[in-house]
Amino acid sequence: MAGYRGGFGGFGGGNQMQNLMKQAQKMQEDMQKAQAELEETEVIGSAGGGLVKVTMTAKKVVTGININPDAIDTEDLTMLEDLIIAALNDGYEKADKAYNEKMGAFGGLGL
């Protein structure tokens, strides 16, 4: 095999491989940091003009629900249930947006 030099062929040798490994490690560290930030990021979903509010993290962990007493009609609990669902869905949309803004830089890795 005339001209064979061994090594990693098209990778340009060990130095370039080390650089790739460092870049991958940095990307992993950045992704872990972004994931941790998402656990701390709070979003609020609301419905009924703010009659029902749901607080959650950007990772969709619900941390609180606030229901204005004006939203409670014992004759029509279905309306309150619908407001809670709408507030949750609004919160989920906001959490998705925050997640995509933070994690979009990683091209879908780690999802």
Side-chain angles (χ1 to χ4, degrees), residues 42-89:
E42 251 185 14
V43 297
I44 298 175
S46 66
L51 289 175
V52 175
K53 295 179 183 176
V54 175
T55 304
M56 67 180 67
T57 70
K59 294 194 87 173
K60 298 181 182 177
V61 176
V62 176
T63 58
I65 297 177
N66 181 281
I67 300 172
N68 184 310
D70 293 340
I72 302 171
D73 178 359
T74 56
E75 300 295 318
D76 188 8
L77 289 179
T78 302
M79 181 188 75
L80 177 57
E81 292 167 348
D82 290 343
L83 287 173
I84 293 170
I85 291 168
L88 282 165
N89 287 331

Side-chain angles (χ1 to χ4, degrees), residues 19-47:
N19 287 338
L20 286 173
M21 293 299 287
K22 286 179 184 178
Q23 288 175 353
Q25 184 177 7
K26 170 118 173 62
M27 182 181 237
Q28 183 179 15
E29 289 169 1
D30 290 347
M31 197 164 58
Q32 288 172 342
K33 181 180 175 188
Q35 289 279 357
E37 288 173 5
L38 286 169
E39 291 175 7
E40 300 295 322
T41 301
E42 251 185 14
V43 297
I44 298 175
S46 66

